[in-house]
C-alpha cells in the first residue's frame, strides 16, 4: 500500500471513530462505524497470505452483521418513539438487539468467536489496532445507552465474557490468541459494571488500552508470536522480557500492579450495590 493510501486509510479509521463518538443520531453513529470498518479492511488484508484474507473476510462479515443489527434496532425504536436520538432508545427489544450488536462489534461473549481468529490471521500491529482503537466507538455507544439496557443482559454477557476469556486463554501458545482472550475477559469486566457505574466501565477499558499497547509494541519489536519465542527473548533483551512479563501480570489484574486498580473498584462497586454473589463470581 502506498503512503497516500495508508494516510487515507488511517484518516478513515480516525474520522469514523470520532464521528461515532460525537454523534447524537443513530444514523450518523452507524455511518461512522461503517467508515471505520471499511478503512481497516485493507490494513488487515495487507499481508498477502491466505490467513490474512480469511481474517479480513471474517472481520467484514461479523462487523456487517453487527451493523445490520444496529440499523434494525434503531429503526424499530424510531417506529415506537419517532426519534433517531441515541439517548431516546426506549424500546426493550431495540435495546437488547443494540446491546448484542455492540457486543459483536467489540468482540464480547457470546458473540466473541471472530476475535481470536482475526487476530491470529493478521500482524501484531493490526492486532493492536483491533484490540484497542476499534473498541472505543462501540464502548462509547454502550456508555450512552447504558441507562436503557436491562442490567440482566449486561451482567449475563459480562460474566460469560469473563469465563470465556479466562478459560480460552489457558490452552493457547499463540500470543495473539492469548491477547484476544485477555481482551474478551477485560470486556467482561467493562460490560458487567456498565449496568451500575458507566464511568467506571470507561476507566476500566482505557486502563486496559494503556496496558495492552506497550505489550503489542514490544512483541512487534522482538518479533515474538508464540510463547516459545517469548521464552527465549531474555537472551537478547532482558529489560523488555521483564517489562512484558510485568505488563501481562498487570493486564490479568494481579495486585499490586495497575491492572488491579479498576478490578478492585469494580468489585467494590458491585458489593456496595448488594451484588455480593456477582462479585464472588467475577473473582
Amino acid at each position: 500500500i502506498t503512503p497516500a493510501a495508508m494516510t487515507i486509510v488511517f484518516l478513515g479509521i480516525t474520522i469514523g471513530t470520532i464521528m461515532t463518538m460525537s454523534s447524537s443520531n443513530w444514523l450518523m453513529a452507524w455511518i461512522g462505524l461503517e467508515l471505520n470498518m471499511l478503512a481497516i479492511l485493507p490494513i488487515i488484508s495487507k499481508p498477502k497470505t491466505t490467513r490474512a484474507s480469511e481474517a479480513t473476510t471474517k472481520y467484514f462479515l461479523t462487523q456487517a452483521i453487527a451493523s445490520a443489527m444496529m440499523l434494525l434496532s434503531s429503526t424499530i425504536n424510531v417506529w415506537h418513539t419517532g426519534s433517531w436520538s441515541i439517548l431516546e432508545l426506549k424500546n426493550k427489544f431495540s435495546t437488547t438487539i443494540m446491546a448484542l450488536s455492540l457486543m459483536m462489534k467489540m468482540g464480547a461473549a457470546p458473540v466473541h468467536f471472530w476475535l481470536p481468529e482475526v487476530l491470529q490471521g493478521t500482524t501484531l500491529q493490526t492486532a493492536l489496532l483491533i484490540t484497542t482503537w476499534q473498541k472505543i466507538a462501540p464502548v462509547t455507544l454502550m456508555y450512552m445507552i447504558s441507562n436503557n439496557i436491562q442490567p440482566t443482559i449486561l451482567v449475563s454477557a459480562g460474566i460469560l465474557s469473563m469465563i470465556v476469556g479466562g478459560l480460552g486463554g489457558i490452552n493457547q501458545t499463540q500470543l495473539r490468541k492469548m491477547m484476544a482472550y485477555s481482551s474478551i475477559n477485560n470486556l467482561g469486566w467493562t460490560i458487567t459494571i456498565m449496568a451500575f457505574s458507566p464511568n467506571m466501565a470507561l476507566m476500566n477499558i482505557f486502563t486496559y488500552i494503556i496496558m495492552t499497547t506497550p505489550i503489542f509494541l514490544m512483541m512487534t519489536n522482538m518479533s515474538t508470536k508464540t510463547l516459545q519465542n517469548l521464552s527465549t527473548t531474555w537472551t537478547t533483551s532482558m529489560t523488555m522480557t521483564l517489562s512484558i512479563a510485568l505488563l501481562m501480570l498487570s493486564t490479568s489484574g494481579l495486585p499490586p500492579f495497575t491492572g488491579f486498580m479498576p478490578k478492585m473498584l469494580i468489585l467494590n462497586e458491585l458489593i456496595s450495590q448488594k451484588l455480593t454473589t456477582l462479585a464472588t463470581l467475577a473473582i
Side-chain angles (χ1 to χ4, degrees):
I1 302 177
T2 61
M6 283 304 281
T7 308
I8 293 165
V9 162
F10 278 108
L11 265 175
I13 291 170
T14 313
I15 292 167
T17 300
I18 293 168
M19 191 190 282
T20 302
M21 288 171 72
S22 57
S23 62
S24 58
N25 182 297
W26 278 119
L27 281 177
M28 286 304 289
W30 174 77
I31 290 166
L33 285 169
E34 286 298 291
L35 177 63
N36 181 288
M37 177 191 75
L38 292 171
I40 202 173
L41 292 177
I43 298 178
I44 303 173
S45 62
K46 197 184 174 194
K48 295 291 174 278
T49 60
T50 48
R51 286 301 298 270
S53 306
E54 188 187 329
T56 312
T57 310
K58 282 177 180 172
Y59 186 83
F60 173 72
L61 289 174
T62 47
Q63 297 295 316
I65 291 164
S67 295
M69 285 167 70
M70 266 188 78
L71 273 183
L72 172 70
S73 168
S74 48
T75 309
I76 291 168
N77 189 62
V78 169
W79 283 343
H80 283 85
T81 61
S83 168
W84 281 103
S85 171
I86 290 175
L87 301 174
E88 290 292 316
L89 195 70
K90 301 282 190 244
N91 184 269
K92 271 190 177 180
F93 180 71
S94 292
T95 48
T96 309
I97 298 288
M98 187 61 74
L100 268 172
S101 72
L102 292 174
M103 283 172 204
M104 191 183 249
K105 280 267 177 205
M106 59 177 104
V111 276
H112 65 283
F113 47 85
W114 61 271
L115 189 62
E117 296 300 317
V118 169
L119 254 59
Q120 187 55 37
T122 188
T123 62
L124 284 162
Q125 295 98 316
T126 312
L128 166 64
L129 199 62
I130 293 167
T131 50
T132 55
W133 184 261
Q134 293 300 91
K135 300 258 189 295
I136 297 172
V139 166
T140 309
L141 284 176
M142 192 171 268
Y143 174 83
M144 289 165 84
I145 63 166
S146 57
N147 290 337
N148 299 327
I149 308 172
Q150 290 163 286
T152 322
I153 294 165
L154 287 175
V155 168
S156 305
I159 294 289
L160 189 62
S161 293
M162 285 182 207
I163 295 165
V164 167
L167 296 178
I170 292 171
N171 201 27
Q172 297 300 332
T173 54
Q174 295 288 336
L175 289 174
R176 279 167 295 180
K177 277 197 174 179
M178 278 177 68
M179 293 307 291
Y181 282 110
S182 163
S183 170
I184 293 164
N185 179 273
N186 186 269
L187 280 171
W189 287 88
T190 307
I191 292 166
T192 303
I193 199 62
M194 189 73 81
F196 310 105
S197 177
N199 290 338
M200 205 173 283
L202 281 193
M203 185 197 69
N204 183 56
I205 197 78
F206 282 113
T207 308
Y208 173 76
I209 288 171
I210 290 162
M211 289 187 303
T212 304
T213 307
I215 293 177
F216 272 111
L217 291 176
M218 282 190 277
M219 287 197 309
T220 309
N221 196 347
M222 296 192 291
S223 302
T224 50
K225 288 177 181 168
T226 63
L227 275 176
Q228 196 175 2
N229 293 154
L230 201 59
S231 63
T232 56
T233 50
W234 66 272
T235 52
T236 51
S237 176
M238 204 163 195
T239 315
M240 220 173 260
T241 311
L242 189 64
S243 300
I244 283 190
L246 292 174
L247 276 164
M248 280 186 164
L249 288 172
S250 181
T251 314
S252 61
L254 200 76
F257 300 107
T258 313
F260 175 64
M261 178 195 63
K263 287 182 171 60
M264 183 183 68
L265 292 171
I266 288 169
L267 289 171
N268 181 51
E269 182 66 27
L270 289 173
I271 291 163
S272 65
Q273 295 266 7
K274 304 283 187 294
L275 294 160
T276 319
T277 318
L278 195 58
T280 316
L281 269 172
I283 295 165

